[in-house]
Each structure stands twice: as structure tokens, then as C-alpha cells.
Amino acid sequence: MTTINPYLIFNGNCEAAFLFYKSVFGGEFPYIGKFSDMPPSDDENCPPPSAADADRVMHVSLPIGGGSILMGSDSTSQSGDVVIGSNVSMSLNTESRAEADKLFNGLSAGGNVIMAMQNTFWGAYFGMFVDKFGIHWMINFDEAPQK
């Protein structure tokens, strides 16, 4: 079954925000990674992080009960600061690549694709877009489900 989780983007204070959320919800971070943790890439659209961005959070997740996961990251100098209030994406986790493609293609129709569906260094099949109504979406399929 497809699950949907909120994904929050911050302007450099993601780690502080998630430490606060953890103090309220409890639990542990199954993953927290910085931009400096990214492996080198030959993709010209994925340059190495600047020194200013290296310690920013690339991705963090915090299970908050009932199967929901609060996820987040920081913006980068390349992406620019986000506007607080419009810094939320809907993150869909699918059960198959076919489902990921179907949802991506359907929801992104008439919108703006930010990152086409592709295999990622973190082991997922992933893409991002803004739909024709201005809503930000992330579609993710994990070949090996996260524990």
C-alpha cells in the first residue's frame, strides 16, 4: 500500500528542528545524513556541496507512530532559501517501480518536473515535481524496504 508522509524543507536549521520534534514525539532517527555524506557524482546537475552546505542536512527521518514518518532536509545555496509556509512536500512511498512511475506520470502531468524518476545513491527509485496546482511531491520506491 502506498504511504504518504510530510517532508519539510528548512533554511539550515533542519537538524535543530528535528531534535526538537524528537524531544516531543520520542523515538530515534533511522537515518540522518549531511550533504557532505553524498558520494561524488558525474551528473552535472548534482555538483559537490559547497563548504557552506556540507554540514546541512540532506535527509532525516523520524517515525512518529501509526506508520507515519516525518522527513526533512535543508535547502542549499544551489536551490536557494525556501519560503517558510511553502516548504512542505508530500512524499509518497510506493510498493513497486510501476506504481511509482504511474503516480509520478499522473500527478506531474501539466506540472514542473524537478528530478525525473531515477535510481539514487541511497538505493531508491526516486523523483520530484511540482504539480499543476503548485503542490510539491516526492515519489519513492525502496528496492529493499527500510526497517
Side-chain angles (χ1 to χ4, degrees):
M1 172 177 277
T2 300
T3 59
I4 188 166
N5 298 293
Y7 201 105
L8 310 174
I9 312 292
F10 296 87
N11 289 321
N13 59 342
C14 181
E15 187 169 12
F18 269 76
L19 288 170
F20 169 73
Y21 300 146
K22 181 179 166 187
S23 76
V24 174
F25 291 112
E28 296 297 324
F29 301 130
Y31 180 80
I32 184 168
K34 305 289 179 96
F35 284 101
S36 60
D37 298 331
M38 291 174 53
S41 173
D42 293 333
D43 184 347
E44 64 187 42
N45 295 318
C46 189
S50 68
D53 294 337
D55 200 40
R56 287 185 171 214
V57 173
M58 177 190 64
H59 179 77
V60 61
S61 57
L62 178 65
I64 57 174
S68 296
I69 302 173
L70 185 61
M71 295 184 274
S73 67
D74 280 313
S75 62
T76 63
S77 53
Q78 182 182 8
S79 65
D81 284 346
V82 295
V83 176
I84 302 302
S86 64
N87 58 326
V88 177
S89 291
M90 303 314 302
S91 177
L92 297 177
N93 293 308
T94 66
E95 292 186 335
S96 69
R97 281 178 175 259
E99 182 183 25
D101 286 335
K102 177 184 175 198
L103 293 172
F104 186 92
N105 293 334
L107 290 168
S108 67
N112 180 32
V113 173
I114 297 167
M115 178 180 172
M117 293 300 297
Q118 59 190 267
N119 293 321
T120 63
F121 69 85
W122 64 86
Y125 183 58
F126 178 82
M128 299 186 302
F129 60 92
V130 178
D131 72 18
K132 64 184 175 183
F133 300 103
I135 305 300
H136 293 248
W137 294 87
M138 299 175 176
I139 309 291
N140 188 80
F141 169 66
D142 289 313
E143 296 283 349
Q146 304 293 322
K147 296 183 180 188

